[in-house]
Amino acid sequence: KAGVTQTPRYLIKTRGQQVTLSCSPISGHRSVSWYQQTPGQGLQFLFEYFSETQRNKGNFPGRFSGRQFSNSRSEMNVSTLELGDSALYLCASSSRTGVFVQYFGPGTRLTVT
Amino acid sequence: DQQVKQNSPSLSVQEGRISILNCDYTNSMFDYFLWYKKYPAEGPTFLISISSIKDKNEDGRFTVFLNKSAKHLSLHIVPSQPGDSAVYFCAASGGNTPLVFGKGTRLSVIA
């Protein structure tokens, strides 16, 4: 089976712009979670989607949003980018919600200048 | 408030010796714990897990120990190999709550 794929892998944006990141889960997986990783920090949970419904949301401002499509692919959007949004954004999938073993994609490295 | 803590940012071990990575948690509702390994420019890879009904789980060279009374878990790697050099993340969850990750420990295995 193909693993979790994320596009793009690298992205450079300017403050104030918005960005959309994409994630394709492992075939058959219906749960997709997003995480932010910054230098020296662990993975900070952003949100989880299961069957197109947001199941959990982390402690991030409303500028961070996401959605999931009927084929389980997911996108996250960050509006009005700030310098502090520079991070590695990781997507993980699992076969169902509540299953804790998640499989991660390679991440999208976002740099905000 | 950091619910999952990995107090050692880095650890160096000689090849062939044991590597012990530690993790402490504060939330008594956590009942499932995982370790992930991360190489640069890659996403984390699941390594091993343990539920709160057990105190030990073993998979090849990797063993995770859980001490519920101390709210402490550890990952033992024996013997350590240079390919084990990576950042190791401890994660925990309770019920259907999202995984909570520690900040990671960078392991360097020296040949």
Side-chain angles (χ1 to χ4, degrees), chain B residues 14-17 19 61 77 79-85 107 109-110:
Chain B
Q14 282 209 311
E15 181 180 6
R17 306 294 291 268
S19 295
R61 297 186 297 114
I77 306 173
S80 301
Q81 299 173 354
D84 296 330
S85 297
L107 173 66
V109 180
I110 304 160

Side-chain angles (χ1 to χ4, degrees), chain A residues 9-10 35 37 40-45 48 56-57 88 90 97-107 109, chain B residues 31-32 34 36 38 41-46 49 87 89 92-104:
Chain A
R9 292 293 311 276
Y10 302 92
Y35 296 84
Q37 184 188 11
Q41 300 294 318
L43 281 68
Q44 306 288 318
F45 173 76
E48 180 201 0
N56 284 296
K57 189 176 189 309
L88 180 67
L90 291 158
T97 189
V99 172
F100 308 115
V101 179
Q102 298 179 345
Y103 299 89
F104 283 83
R109 171 74 61 188
Chain B
D31 59 5
Y32 198 79
L34 306 88
Y36 281 85
K38 187 179 185 299
E42 294 183 14
T45 303
F46 170 71
S49 64
V87 177
F89 290 98
S93 181
N96 279 328
T97 59
L99 286 178
V100 178
F101 284 82
K103 293 186 178 182

Side-chain angles (χ1 to χ4, degrees), chain B residues 31-63:
Chain B
D31 59 5
Y32 198 79
F33 306 89
L34 306 88
W35 285 93
Y36 281 85
K37 178 171 72 173
K38 187 179 185 299
Y39 293 118
E42 294 183 14
T45 303
F46 170 71
L47 204 53
I48 192 169
S49 64
I50 188 168
S51 74
S52 58
I53 62 172
K54 302 174 80 172
D55 54 19
K56 176 183 172 182
N57 190 23
E58 198 170 349
D59 184 2
R61 297 186 297 114
F62 302 90
T63 303

Side-chain angles (χ1 to χ4, degrees), chain A residues 1 26-27 29-30 33 56 64 67 79 82 85-86 88:
Chain A
K1 270 187 182 177
I26 290 171
S27 177
H29 283 191
R30 295 166 63 191
S33 297
N56 284 296
F64 292 81
R67 59 177 175 168
S79 62
E82 301 177 0
D85 297 333
S86 294
L88 180 67

Side-chain angles (χ1 to χ4, degrees), chain A residues 8-9 15 18-19 45 54 76 86 89 91-92 96 101 108:
Chain A
R9 292 293 311 276
R15 258 185 311 177
Q18 75 163 14
V19 67
F45 173 76
Q54 188 179 87
M76 68 162 280
S86 294
Y89 290 89
C91 165
R96 55 184 174 88
V101 179
T108 294

Side-chain angles (χ1 to χ4, degrees), chain B residues 60-80:
Chain B
R61 297 186 297 114
F62 302 90
T63 303
V64 57
F65 295 92
L66 175 62
N67 182 333
K68 289 185 288 293
S69 60
K71 293 192 178 70
H72 177 84
L73 65 155
S74 61
L75 174 68
H76 293 208
I77 306 173
V78 185
S80 301

